[in-house]
Amino acid sequence: MRQFIRKNIWAAAPVLFVLIAILLMGNPLQAGDVQESQTDKDDNLIVVGVSQVGSESVWRTAHTQSVQDAFTRANGYMLIFDNARQKQANQIKAIRSFISQQVDYIVLSPIEETGWDTVLQEAKDAGIPVILMDRMVSVNDPSLYTAWVGSDFVREGQDAGYWLEDYLKKQGKEQEEVNIVVLKGTKGASATIGRTKGFNQVARLQHNWNILKQADGEFTTAKGKEEMARLLELYDDIDVVVSQNDDMTFGALEAIREAGKTAGVNGDITVISFDAVDAGVELVRNGEINIDVQCNPDQGKYVEQIIQDIQAGKEVEKAYYVPERVYTQENVEEEENVTEGISG
Ligand code: GZL
Ligand code: ZN
């Protein structure tokens, strides 16, 4: 019997070998099916490459969250998200990577307005629509981007200027010399350009306003503090600081305190800020910031709506402005009375 089993086992060896090999390899069709359905699923997803400025501010974090909340798999998207860490070169690299991956859409928050013509032409040549959010690009050919969603930065700057004019009038200081310093955001960024332009349009009409200096605070708390400390060293009578985002304002308030001065309502220095992130609005509530001009970071859902419209073959506008408000001592307790929806 033993002889029989041994002889036959060898005879069966080649068949056994093939069977074991198939088992080890797994059934290629089976693997293929899994692969197929995975690809199928991916094929139905809209692939969106997003190039974000960085994570320089509380506002930026909220902005990024709004993008990630909008472009989920459940909503039908595959999101490829790149944080450029505040470097335009990284954004250009990310866009080229999106092009080579043949994404369906590119969404870009451009750190500064210039330097985009070449890479956006490459995206156009690849037939990939580019949607801008937050900041704007300055390009020779406006067809290099399909649409833009963001804030009216010039109006934000004007709102700040008009509020200060009204505030000084109420204080009976229309004739008094008013010394102003400005903490500007990232050089060349639309928010910096627009807020500066809008505020200066109003300031130019006020014969008693002196803009002593406009320092580069780069939208960060550290730089905002450093520049404000320097300005406090330079000038012993600063009446107003216009800080172009809350992160710089948080730093400026520290510098003002460390210089032994007071800020905000009834303070030595009137504080005008931008963004109105939650922590900024809290400081309006407690009077350390006089007003905070909101910059609405909740833009992801509007960008997603534009992509849906393009997918449906609908016409889209070139520019969409997100709803915003100004937080003052008088209205800070009012509910968000900002009308929903974007204005074309
Ligand atoms: C404004 C945005 C600015 C914010 C800053 O839309 O570009 O960049 O005001 C952020 O907080 O860093
Ligand atoms: Zn003064």
Side-chain angles (χ1 to χ4, degrees):
M1 185 55 174
R2 195 190 302 250
Q3 193 61 16
F4 170 75
I5 289 175
R6 195 177 294 122
K7 193 162 55 82
N8 284 309
I9 204 121
W10 287 116
V15 173
L16 268 177
F17 176 75
V18 169
L19 272 178
I20 290 167
I22 287 175
L23 281 175
L24 284 178
M25 262 184 355
N27 174 336
L29 271 181
Q30 195 75 43
D33 283 352
V34 170
Q35 206 49 38
E36 201 60 22
S37 65
Q38 186 63 36
T39 315
D40 269 356
K41 259 216 307 282
D42 286 355
D43 275 358
N44 298 333
L45 295 177
I46 300 172
V47 184
V48 179
V50 174
S51 170
Q52 176 61 293
V53 166
S55 33
E56 74 285 357
S57 67
V58 172
W59 184 94
R60 186 65 57 196
T61 306
H63 186 248
T64 291
Q65 191 58 56
S66 83
V67 170
Q68 291 172 339
D69 291 349
F71 293 106
T72 59
R73 201 176 185 85
N75 284 352
Y77 295 93
M78 176 190 266
L79 171 62
I80 309 172
F81 184 89
D82 180 84
N83 172 337
R85 294 181 305 285
Q86 292 251 79
K87 293 216 175 354
Q88 181 177 42
N90 290 343
Q91 293 200 283
I92 292 172
K93 229 181 282 170
I95 293 169
R96 288 195 167 122
S97 155
F98 296 151
I99 293 170
S100 66
Q101 294 177 71
Q102 296 175 335
V103 300
D104 298 308
Y105 293 88
I106 290 172
V107 176
L108 167 68
S109 179
I111 182 162
E112 56 194 90
E113 295 203 343
T114 55
W116 302 99
D117 296 83
T118 306
V119 74
L120 293 186
Q121 185 60 51
E122 290 166 22
K124 182 178 179 183
D125 295 344
I128 302 174
V130 173
I131 297 170
L132 301 177
M133 59 178 182
D134 171 25
R135 300 180 187 174
M136 179 50 89
V137 296
S138 162
V139 288
N140 297 322
D141 173 3
S143 75
L144 291 183
Y145 67 92
T146 304
W148 166 84
V149 178
S151 302
D152 183 342
F153 299 117
V154 174
R155 188 193 43 68
E156 290 178 359
Q158 290 166 340
D159 283 349
Y162 292 137
W163 174 85
L164 183 58
E165 183 187 24
D166 186 47
Y167 177 69
L168 293 170
K169 207 176 281 172
K170 282 184 187 141
Q171 303 255 319
K173 293 182 176 174
E174 288 138 288
Q175 302 314 320
E176 218 173 280
E177 285 303 296
V178 179
N179 293 328
I180 301 167
V181 293
V182 180
L183 295 174
K184 292 172 74 173
T186 304
K187 240 189 225 130
S190 312
T192 307
I193 295 168
R195 288 169 187 162
T196 304
K197 184 175 171 192
F199 183 79
N200 288 350
Q201 280 171 346
V202 178
R204 257 198 295 278
L205 304 175
Q206 320 296 326
H207 62 89
N208 60 323
W209 291 12
N210 306 316
I211 295 186
L212 302 172
K213 197 143 177 65
Q214 307 200 68
D216 289 327
E218 297 172 6
F219 284 137
T220 66
T221 297
K223 199 78 174 77
K225 178 176 182 180
E226 186 187 316
E227 289 304 322
M228 190 65 204
R230 229 162 44 80
L231 292 166
L232 286 159
E233 289 281 309
L234 272 175
Y235 305 103
D236 57 9
D237 175 17
I238 296 174
D239 301 305
V240 181
V241 55
V242 179
S243 169
Q244 292 184 348
N245 86 326
D246 286 336
D247 293 71
M248 293 190 291
T249 304
F250 302 150
L253 290 174
E254 268 178 56
I256 292 169
R257 267 194 295 276
E258 288 171 12
K261 299 207 168 191
T262 55
V265 175
N266 308 320
D268 304 319
I269 301 177
T270 297
V271 179
I272 296 174
S273 191
F274 292 80
D275 280 357
V277 297
D278 293 350
V281 175
E282 204 36 54
L283 290 172
V284 174
R285 243 184 228 107
N286 78 12
E288 278 189 74
I289 293 179
N290 292 76
I291 74 155
D292 208 336
V293 180
Q294 184 186 34
C295 179
N296 186 345
D298 191 15
Q299 299 177 0
K301 62 187 177 188
Y302 298 123
V303 176
E304 196 267 333
Q305 183 55 55
I306 290 168
I307 288 178
Q308 286 301 324
D309 288 350
I310 296 172
Q311 290 288 107
K314 290 181 189 161
E315 276 292 302
V316 293
E317 304 276 337
K318 199 75 180 168
Y320 293 85
Y321 291 93
V322 291
E324 297 177 338
R325 63 177 274 191
V326 177
Y327 288 88
T328 64
Q329 298 303 314
E330 295 73 23
N331 75 16
V332 68
E333 292 314 332
E334 273 166 33
E335 275 311 299
E336 282 282 318
N337 60 358
V338 162
T339 48
E340 265 305 299
I342 39 183
S343 56

